């Protein structure tokens, strides 16, 4: 398994917008791209995080390629990509 880790600069005033947009827009998109599980954490101190798990590295890297550091994330206003990483999952619960 592989995880896509995305860290964003997030304007906390848009958290309510994210509560709607992520489940309605983002989750179906990453599920269609092969995601098996995912977590989007509310921003704190201007920093948001997500971890999305895929069965294979190619699927994770395919989704990762859609993000560009320093560019906005389209689903929620006031969110800009800070880091994008794909890592092997060593264990899970």
């Amino acid at each position: 398994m592989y995880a896509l880790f995305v860290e964003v600069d997030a304007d906390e005033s848009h958290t309510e917008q994210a509560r709607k947009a992520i489940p309605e827009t983002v989750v179906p998109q990453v599920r269609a791209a092969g995601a098996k599980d995912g977590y989007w954490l509310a921003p704190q101190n201007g920093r948001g995080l997500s971890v999305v798990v895929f069965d294979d590295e190619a699927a994770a890297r395919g989704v990762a390629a859609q993000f560009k550091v320093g560019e906005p994330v389209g689903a929620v206003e006031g969110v800009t990509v800070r880091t994008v990483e794909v890592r092997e999952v060593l264990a899970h619960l």
Side-chain angles (χ1 to χ4, degrees):
M1 285 190 302
Y2 287 82
L4 169 59
F5 174 83
V6 179
E7 181 181 25
V8 296
D9 292 319
D11 183 335
E12 293 172 43
S13 68
H14 298 287
T15 299
E16 288 308 312
Q17 179 190 3
R19 283 185 207 283
K20 183 174 181 184
I22 292 170
E24 291 179 1
T25 305
V26 179
V27 171
Q29 289 174 344
V30 296
R31 185 177 289 130
K36 300 300 176 193
D37 207 353
Y39 300 89
W40 288 260
L41 297 117
Q44 187 173 40
N45 299 319
R47 180 176 167 243
L49 302 168
S50 67
V51 178
V52 180
V53 178
F54 297 83
D55 281 334
D56 64 82
E57 184 178 9
R61 293 203 181 278
V63 174
Q66 298 175 27
F67 294 96
K68 303 293 182 219
V69 173
E71 292 188 7
V73 176
V76 180
E77 187 179 338
V79 177
T80 304
V81 177
R82 186 186 287 189
T83 60
V84 179
E85 299 177 23
V86 173
R87 296 186 186 190
E88 183 180 7
V89 175
L90 298 180
H92 73 285
L93 178 63

